[in-house]
Amino acid sequence: FDGLTAGSTYLLRLHFAEVYFREPGQRVFNVAINGESVMADVDMVALAGGRHKALVREFRVKAEPDGHITIAFTRVRDNASCGGIELLAESN
């Protein structure tokens, strides 16, 4: 995300649901925000308790001095998957 107010705090919501794999361990990935690891070895089947079950994780993050927030998904096994991303401004 770019064009944000530098140093301002935002609520970032990541939405997940495994819709393809059925067993734990078939899709595993990591998530970093602004270069900081926030979720490691994400396995949606294991975390949500099964396939087709939604899971939302919230993070409060500050925009970098250049007005960016960067989300990086890194594969461990198969490709990373995210069903939705919300970024909401918070009043400081």
Side-chain angles (χ1 to χ4, degrees), residues 51-67:
R51 185 176 181 208
H52 297 294
K53 294 188 178 187
L55 186 68
V56 178
R57 290 289 187 252
E58 293 186 346
F59 305 93
R60 283 181 171 65
V61 297
K62 286 193 177 193
E64 296 288 329
D66 62 1

Side-chain angles (χ1 to χ4, degrees), residues 37-84:
S37 177
V38 294
M39 296 177 75
D41 296 325
V42 177
D43 180 337
M44 292 315 305
V45 173
L47 282 175
R51 185 176 181 208
H52 297 294
K53 294 188 178 187
L55 186 68
V56 178
R57 290 289 187 252
E58 293 186 346
F59 305 93
R60 283 181 171 65
V61 297
K62 286 193 177 193
E64 296 288 329
D66 62 1
H68 285 85
I69 291 176
T70 303
I71 307 165
F73 299 90
T74 308
R75 66 181 284 162
V76 174
R77 184 168 190 178
D78 206 77
N79 293 317
S81 177
C82 181

Side-chain angles (χ1 to χ4, degrees), residues 1 11-15 56 58-59 71 84-88:
F1 294 92
L11 176 63
L12 176 70
R13 291 185 185 133
L14 300 178
H15 296 258
V56 178
E58 293 186 346
F59 305 93
I71 307 165
I85 299 172
E86 292 179 85
L87 185 65
L88 307 168

